[in-house]
Amino acid sequence: MPGCPCPGRSMAGLRLLLVTSLALEFLGGVGGSQQALRSRGAAAACRLDGKESESWGAVLNGERLDTWVCSLLGSLLVGLSGVFPLLVIPLEMGTTLRSEAGARHLKQLLSFALGGLLGNVFLHLLPEAWAYTCSASPGGEGQSLHQQQQLGLWVIAGFLTFLALERMFLDNKEERSSQVSGYLNLLANTIDNFTHGLAVAASFLVSKKIGLLTTLAILLHEIPHEVGDFAILLRAGFDRWSAAKLQLSTALGGLLGACFAICTQSPKGVEETVAWVLPFTSGGFLYIALVNVLPDLLEEEDPWHSLQQVLLLCSGVLVMVLFSLCVE
């Protein structure tokens, strides 16, 4: 009919209009979703930046900064105790070791050092390792047989490691061979200072009072031990000033231990580390005491001098007992 719109064209136009509107709506939805994704990505990046800034803020805030300063100073103070033997050992000690009187005096110092090493292992390092293992046990129960065997294996591992290191660097020259024992003692002392740094920093994380008491307790324990270490270095052929400088270098282990404890920010993580480091260090000290120091003392043929060495060995152990009782 004229003037009437064609029904076919009307339906086709409606379909085209519907498809076009749907396509536009879909494209608009895609654009909106992309915009939403961009917004979400920006929000996530902002959250990550916020967390990172919060973590740095937690490290650098006033309270944590005090912990850093106190822990590093306490660990450094423990490391500086290595120069204390300079006040005890005579100035001429390093130059008269070749004489008979000097060699006898050195053996007396080594006897005290042997007692100090044995006392340090059996009265300080191993009991602390057992205590850390017990505290880490579920429910606070005592150690299981498996845990005790693990401690024993770490002691053996430390002993064998120091044996392998000495055999690796051992030279046919007598002077070089004796110096190797001195460097092994420095390695064991560095690891020992690492555990001290862990203990100092973990204590300051609790409170300043506990941190100061822990630092003082370690200092009291370390003074006789450092005298023994100094005697071992003199036996290895170092003079007094070289021995003092090498002793000071072991303070780096304490600083590293303090940094590790603060960065982990978890007493549990510190305890897990100490639980194997302490028995490993004990094995190293036992190797030094029984393989490098004791044979020199067994060469003594004079009964009176042998008796003096035994008494000095017992006095070294007794000093460690007294300091352990004072610390407790």
Side-chain angles (χ1 to χ4, degrees):
M1 294 179 59
C4 291
C6 177
R9 287 183 181 177
S10 175
M11 292 298 297
L14 287 174
R15 290 193 188 98
L16 180 61
L17 181 60
L18 179 61
V19 169
T20 303
S21 62
L22 289 174
L24 290 175
E25 184 177 354
F26 175 76
L27 290 176
V30 171
S33 62
Q34 289 179 349
Q35 184 65 29
L37 287 174
R38 292 193 190 98
S39 300
R40 290 175 184 174
C46 290
R47 284 196 298 270
L48 288 176
D49 291 340
K51 288 183 179 179
E52 185 176 359
S53 62
E54 287 176 3
S55 62
W56 279 107
V59 172
L60 297 177
N61 63 14
E63 184 178 353
R64 185 52 54 85
L65 190 60
D66 288 344
T67 304
W68 273 99
V69 173
C70 293
S71 300
L72 293 178
L73 287 178
S75 302
L76 185 62
L77 186 61
V78 172
L80 290 177
S81 64
V83 300
F84 176 80
L86 288 175
L87 306 176
V88 179
I89 297 178
L91 289 172
E92 67 275 5
M93 186 66 193
T95 58
T96 60
L97 292 179
R98 301 299 179 184
S99 66
E100 183 178 354
R104 188 176 298 115
H105 192 188
L106 177 60
K107 283 189 176 182
Q108 293 174 349
L109 283 176
L110 289 175
S111 301
F112 181 83
L114 179 60
L117 283 174
L118 295 177
N120 186 38
V121 168
F122 293 107
L123 300 175
H124 174 63
L125 296 179
L126 289 180
E128 257 194 59
W130 290 329
Y132 277 116
T133 307
C134 288
S135 64
S137 300
E141 299 177 354
Q143 292 174 319
S144 64
L145 178 61
H146 179 66
Q147 289 174 323
Q148 293 174 352
Q149 290 174 339
Q150 279 186 331
L151 290 180
L153 288 175
W154 278 116
V155 174
I156 295 173
F159 191 94
L160 295 179
T161 299
F162 277 70
L163 171 63
L165 287 173
E166 185 166 30
R167 300 305 302 174
M168 187 183 305
F169 296 105
L170 196 61
D171 200 331
N172 292 328
K173 297 179 181 179
E174 184 178 354
E175 181 181 358
R176 178 65 178 172
S177 300
S178 63
Q179 282 196 355
V180 170
S181 64
Y183 286 120
L184 286 177
N185 184 70
L186 287 171
L187 175 61
N189 204 18
T190 302
I191 300 175
D192 189 34
N193 282 337
F194 179 83
T195 63
H196 292 157
L198 287 175
V200 169
S203 301
F204 275 111
L205 283 173
V206 178
S207 69
K208 286 185 179 180
K209 179 181 178 180
I210 296 178
L212 290 173
L213 291 175
T214 302
T215 303
L216 180 60
I218 294 176
L219 274 175
L220 291 175
H221 158 265
E222 275 298 290
I223 288 174
H225 178 61
E226 294 292 347
V227 174
D229 289 338
F230 202 83
I232 293 174
L233 290 177
L234 291 178
R235 171 193 172 275
F238 297 98
D239 59 71
R240 294 174 74 256
W241 295 111
S242 298
K245 287 187 287 186
L246 289 172
Q247 286 281 82
L248 284 177
S249 67
T250 62
L252 180 62
L255 297 177
L256 292 176
C259 293
F260 177 81
I262 298 177
C263 290
T264 57
Q265 301 179 10
S266 170
K268 182 179 179 181
V270 173
E271 290 178 359
E272 291 175 353
T273 304
V274 170
W276 69 265
V277 171
L278 288 179
F280 182 86
T281 310
S282 300
F285 280 135
L286 283 176
Y287 179 84
I288 294 168
L290 301 179
V291 177
N292 293 324
V293 179
L294 184 60
D296 286 352
L297 303 180
L298 294 176
E299 293 176 358
E300 183 61 57
E301 298 178 355
D302 189 334
W304 171 240
H305 291 154
S306 297
L307 178 60
Q308 287 180 337
Q309 292 171 5
V310 172
L311 292 176
L312 286 169
L313 188 153
C314 294
S315 67
V317 176
L318 181 60
V319 167
M320 286 299 178
V321 171
L322 293 176
F323 276 112
S324 297
L325 294 176
C326 291
V327 167
E328 291 178 0

